[in-house]
Amino acid sequence: MKVLKFGGTSVANAENISKVISILEREAKKNKIAVVVSALGGNTDLLIEAGELATKKNNDYLKVFQHISKRHQEAVQQLIKGPKKRTVLKQIDGKLEALKQILQGVYLINEFSDKTRDKIVSFGELLSSYIISEALQQTVKKSTLKDSREIIVTDSVHTNANVKSKETTTAISKFFKSNKDKIVVLPGFVSRDKEGNTTTLGRGGSDYTAALIAAAVKASVLEIWTDVSGMYTANPKLVKQAFSIAQISYQEAMELSHFGAKVLYPPTVQPALQKNIPIYIKNTFDPEAEGTLITKKPKSKNGPVKGISHIENIALLTLEGNGMIGVPGFSKRLFSALSRSKINVVLITQASSEHSICVGVYSKDAKMAKAVVDKEFAYEISLKKIKPLLVEAGLAVIAVVGDNMKSHQGISGRMFRSLGQNNVNVRAIAQGASERNISAVIAHKDIKKALVTLHNTFFEKQIKTLNLFIVGVGNVGAILLNQIKQQQAYLNENLLLNIKVVGISNSKKMIFNEDGIDLTTWSEKIKKGKPRTHQTFFKAVKDFNLSNSIFIDVTANEDVAKTYRDYLKESISVIACNKIACSSKYSDYLELKELSRKYNASFLFETNVGAGLPVIYTLNNLINSGDKITSIQAVLSGSLNFIFNNFNEKTSFYDVVKQAQEEGYTEPDPRIDLSGVDVARKILILAREAGFKMDLKHITNDSFLPKDSLKAKSVADFYKTLKTYASHFEAIYASAKENDCQLKYVAEFNNGKAKVGLKEVNSTHPFYNLQGKDNIVLFYTTRYPEQPLIIKGAGAGAEVTASGLFADIITLGRN
Ligand code: ADP
Ligand code: ASP
Ligand code: MG
């Protein structure tokens, strides 16, 4: 004989019930079966809601009742054919009338005891099993309905009754021995006490009903049919990468379900385990899917960790005080006090100093726990031997489970390292003596991030997801998005990096998509995006709370640069082509570097110098490997190089600058390039990265611009001065030509001092032949004293800047 249980979603409506019926018709050809069913999905909650409204004298309970009635009547209308329909509808209406009368009673006497609650919720399963059994009768004649309350006997602890196993086993086996039907349909969840009052087995208890029947009749298998294809490595509704576990042991299943894997009601495993009955978890909506097989000795290909689960709404109670050290009996008194008030302890940890004990309980019990524990220890508290119980709410427990964890070193190390790296703060840790479970108490807001992170660590080692939030989608930003789009598949395949753009913002609007924004249509979508400010964007990024989040600044905006510290403090990495942060006050630069270290978030800005050229990367490698910089000679402005390479007697200075701006070689405001400020910022950043404490004011800047150009109030005014002072620029050009020199805007750093300015360089100089918009950097170091280390190549332009940003993203992903 087989026992099959169908959950709430599986029997939520006529359409789903038809699916259940076809599964049953197929099964009935092979085996005798017992079918345990839940209430129509969501009905138990509705019944409780109706009762609670009634007891508050809120007439809306009638609306809820109407809704419940309608769902059942509709199911009958659609499932039952012919003249039988009327009879069944009449029966249903009779039962609904009885329910209504009880609700009216609750309304009148203003009382909703646990006993009444059980009576009311039992209607859910009693109605659903009746309808399903009648529907099944139409095709499987030899099928019948049996009220589980006649065969499952419990104590009188209403809403969560304890099964009297002897009586129950006897009653179940007696019934099935005498029954000759092919299929017996039974309501799950409901039972009775010795006096014949209706009791229930706890929320989710239909699984348990099925297990009790399976154990009593020694079924060949217990099948739990639900809305997912098995027990997953983590709750599939929260972790998209989770997958169904093919085989798992009873203990592992029990541990996962105790720690929140709702797919199986925790007490279900015990009866099956005792009789060694295999449990299958199957999907009603995908019957062909393999599902999960739970047995004593599962065959497993996977690693030592089998699954990750979590429990929400946890409060942590801490009892501490010097008076506890070395004095036996404190824990016993604490646990007795909790147990007398029927408070369930979810997790226990005790510091080895014995100075404190920490227990996790459900939040709903925290208030009562505080009262009873403070009462129990009132005397010691009055003597200040211990402190009043400390209660922290808003927490959750996350557990990593697997039978073979004990024979593998370092699982907890990996678990806590990956939580730490993603800024998930761990409040308490408990490791069961069986070493089948390591649990951590974390903040409620971190649940999803913690699950995804741990899932990534233990089940998806291969692929790392980076979640990008990009601000600034002008020239460079748009090209970066395009480059990402083109490389996504390659990076996934070759570097095992999954690059996901979750947020995009321009100066006015922002858009988000946790699954990754479609990079073909983003420019259309952003037009209809939400209005943004720096703060709303930051808040959104923070609230997503995704692991490996990266904020990417592709603006030249000072206010954006000021937000980096907020991101770093949330352990969100920052990648910037914006130079402002690294070239502002030294103390600000230092603070960002320190925050990056403290919060374990990268801060990368390779494109600040030389666009895509690996200038900072090379410098960092020199310093990190123990070299010392003595001098840097460089042409660091692709824009100025472009301008002076194209400026001659035939083209006016004005035209060349205009062209450079139009082709994207200058900053949006060309004054920043031409005044030398941009180059000064770059040499400053290199000096700082080389270990020198320096500020912009320490850099000598001899400008080649006339005073009026430097004073221009707007970009338009600035351009005007370029026309007015055309002869000034022609003279600069003529002088260089006469001396057989090229004009180069050079940045120099020597022994702690830096300067920038326009220079005439002759044909023997390495800068003489620098083409187009190229940059060149010469590093003179202890290891390269005479022949410098040279980096040369295109140092400006949107393509190379975008690819420099991209390189930073990849560097970060491979860390
Ligand atoms: P039923 O109504 O069939 O009894 P439940 O809602 O009680 O179904 O349980 C199934 C649900 O359990 C799934 O839809 C899923 O959201 C949740 N769940 C939580 N953890 C897990 C897990 N590790 N594997 C599968 N499902 C899980
Ligand atoms: N209907 C009950 C509940 O929702 C029992 C069950 O479905 O298992 O908790
Ligand atoms: Mg369930």
Side-chain angles (χ1 to χ4, degrees), residues 5 204 207 262:
K5 177 260 170 179
D207 297 347
K262 189 182 166 227

Side-chain angles (χ1 to χ4, degrees), residues 475 642 646 656-666 773 796-799:
N475 219 351
F642 176 90
N646 287 290
V656 180
V657 175
K658 213 56 241 183
Q659 186 194 351
Q661 190 190 7
E662 275 159 19
E663 294 186 15
Y665 297 144
T666 67
K773 53 191 187 310
E799 276 287 341

